[in-house]
Amino acid sequence: MKPRCLVLAIACLAIFNVPNLAAAQEDRRPVSQCQAIAQNIPKATFASFSGVAPVVPAVSEGEDVKFTYLGHSTFEIETPGGIVIATDYNGWYRPAVTPDVVTMNKAHSTHYTLTPDPGIKHVLHGWSDIPVEKARINLVVGDAYIRNVTTDIRFSYGLGGSQLDGNSIFIFETAGLCIGHLGHLHYELTDTHYTEIGRLDVVMVPVDGGLTMGADSMSRVIKRLRSSLILPMHRRGPPVNAFISMFSNGFDVNYAPDNSITVSLRTLPKKPLIYVMKDVQ
């Protein structure tokens, strides 16, 4: 075969193989174990401290996930593989160690910081700086897969109106658990939101009763999510009982003596439990 013909043949083979290459890349997307309907799984950015991009979250030997309430809407989540995540991170409430990942929302300055510790490897904004776009988070870090579902927020400080997709519900999948942080939720969720969220075994919910949503509206969201473990947060003004009173005896309530709880897929409560940590009471 002449050299010129050989080059053309190689080029043709490359063209025919492009769909197969695309299909192979498609197979490398992480599949959410928490979504109710696994459709249109978004692309993910893979992160690894070793420099090698994993295809799926790392498998760790442990199965316990630890939650520590640090204040306001900030929880420290520690995965079995030792990944430390801080939610609605504002720089005031910090884990004892520098977190690997922080998530933020911008409804109020108490839910984000524009000057995070430079040692934090992954700073995830729940909003997009491009007005016509949504924030799209799909990240694998160690044994955790992190994604988001955007919701609308009211403009702050009485300006009126709403900002589309200005808030994110962050979802953390690790050790078989589906964990959700509702952020600064201003409006009740739609059927589309519930489909995008899927199953949540553990949910962190704001219970201020005003700056986010009223207790009745927030309780409807929690009842629809049907989570096993409900962790109240973001309490200002009304006592937490204003939120708890919205639930029947189908929910248990535990007023904890401290600010931490460790759970696994096997130890989730059989009956939905509202677990009120010490500094939320």
Side-chain angles (χ1 to χ4, degrees):
M1 182 179 291
K2 295 181 179 181
R4 185 175 180 183
C5 295
L6 180 59
V7 170
L8 288 173
I10 293 172
C12 290
L13 284 173
I15 291 171
F16 289 132
N17 281 328
V18 165
N20 293 332
L21 176 60
Q25 290 174 338
E26 196 81 1
D27 290 340
R28 292 176 63 83
R29 297 179 184 180
V31 176
S32 169
Q33 301 301 311
C34 305
Q35 285 182 298
I37 301 176
Q39 295 178 345
N40 301 320
I41 302 301
K43 292 182 179 179
T45 300
F46 298 99
S48 171
F49 302 133
S50 65
V52 179
V55 176
V56 294
V59 177
S60 57
E61 294 182 0
E63 58 181 19
D64 290 334
V65 178
K66 185 177 181 180
F67 298 84
T68 301
Y69 181 66
L70 301 179
H72 203 49
S73 291
T74 305
F75 280 85
E76 175 186 351
I77 304 171
E78 184 176 355
T79 73
I83 298 299
V84 175
I85 302 165
T87 64
D88 273 17
Y89 181 83
N90 57 25
W92 306 343
Y93 304 109
R94 303 187 181 197
V97 299
T98 301
D100 302 295
V101 181
V102 298
T103 65
M104 298 182 187
N105 276 302
K106 68 168 186 178
H108 295 283
S109 60
T110 50
H111 296 258
Y112 72 97
T113 175
L114 297 180
T115 57
D117 183 334
I120 301 170
K121 296 181 175 65
H122 305 285
V123 177
L124 308 181
H125 289 175
W127 67 92
S128 173
D129 293 320
I130 303 174
V132 296
E133 293 187 4
K134 296 181 179 182
R136 300 183 186 278
I137 307 298
N138 289 279
L139 183 70
V140 175
V141 182
D143 60 342
Y145 170 36
I146 305 166
R147 59 187 178 90
N148 73 316
V149 174
T150 58
T151 65
D152 301 342
I153 55 172
R154 299 184 301 271
F155 284 116
S156 302
Y157 308 116
L159 296 177
S162 298
Q163 180 179 356
L164 300 181
D165 302 303
N167 178 78
S168 279
I169 294 171
F170 280 94
I171 300 163
F172 313 94
E173 304 186 23
T174 184
L177 288 170
C178 304
I179 301 161
H181 186 284
L182 297 186
H184 209 275
L185 189 62
H186 287 179
Y187 300 107
E188 291 196 40
L189 301 177
T190 65
D191 289 342
T192 299
H193 287 133
Y194 287 112
T195 297
E196 291 175 346
I197 293 167
R199 184 182 99 242
L200 289 184
D201 303 305
V202 182
V203 63
M204 290 157 274
V205 54
V207 296
D208 59 274
L211 292 175
T212 54
M213 291 196 304
D216 56 342
S217 296
M218 197 66 77
S219 68
R220 282 195 293 270
V221 170
I222 295 303
K223 290 170 185 175
R224 175 80 180 265
L225 286 171
R226 300 179 182 177
S227 303
S228 296
L229 181 63
I230 299 103
L231 302 177
M233 62 175 186
H234 197 277
R235 185 186 72 78
R236 283 189 172 183
V240 70
N241 285 342
F243 170 75
I244 292 173
S245 67
M246 297 291 163
F247 296 88
S248 67
N249 56 11
F251 289 74
D252 285 335
V253 179
N254 188 337
Y255 293 90
D258 53 30
N259 287 318
S260 293
I261 185 173
T262 300
V263 297
S264 69
L265 194 60
R266 291 193 301 173
T267 61
L268 282 173
K270 303 300 181 186
K271 183 178 178 181
L273 173 64
I274 302 172
Y275 192 83
V276 187
M277 293 189 181
K278 179 182 177 181
D279 288 344
V280 183
Q281 297 170 25

